[in-house]
Amino acid sequence: MTSPKPKTTQTMKPATAAKKLGVLLSATPAEFQAGVVSRDELNELQSTPPAWLADLRRNGPHPKQVIAAKLKVSISGLARGGITGPLTTAEIDALKAENPEWLERERSIHAEIRKEALRLKER
């Protein structure tokens, strides 16, 4: 018989943890970027975020997937609209207020795609 293996702690790279947290890696503190993050540490960060994480989530800069969600467009739509880098919450709000033509177009495209995906799912 073999003895049971000791349970190993799951870890991830800082880039993976930042993506799961919805923040931009380059905006996180140096100690976060330098180490590895365990699954337990990630759960702790999600359940009780420290001040730096709460501030990043509130004010940005935000990664593309968060920008796309806030603007209700796809990541491809951001690229077509010329948005290639991170944006702060203030910049996203200004873009929403300005409501350029490309944003309206991409929102309608994204809404149609979601509607079609829902229709196919219900089949």
Side-chain angles (χ1 to χ4, degrees), residues 5-106:
K5 293 182 182 179
K7 188 174 180 180
T8 57
T9 304
Q10 257 188 328
T11 60
M12 62 192 84
K13 294 178 182 176
T16 304
K19 188 172 185 177
K20 289 180 180 286
L21 293 169
V23 296
L24 197 63
L25 178 63
S26 60
T28 61
E31 60 270 8
F32 181 85
Q33 294 178 34
V36 293
V37 180
S38 71
R39 174 63 64 186
D40 292 335
E41 290 170 333
L42 179 70
N43 291 338
E44 180 67 24
L45 287 170
Q46 288 174 326
S47 63
T48 54
W52 64 265
L53 180 56
D55 186 51
L56 275 178
R57 286 179 169 170
R58 186 173 31 288
N59 302 319
H62 301 289
K64 286 187 273 188
Q65 68 267 20
V66 174
I67 298 168
K70 286 179 178 268
L71 292 175
K72 297 181 179 147
V73 299
S74 66
I75 293 175
S76 300
L78 284 178
R80 287 190 293 269
I83 307 295
T84 56
L87 296 177
T88 63
T89 301
E91 292 168 326
I92 293 169
D93 291 341
L95 202 52
K96 284 180 182 178
E98 183 184 319
N99 201 21
E101 183 184 320
W102 71 265
L103 183 56
E104 285 185 41
R105 183 178 60 250
E106 292 301 332

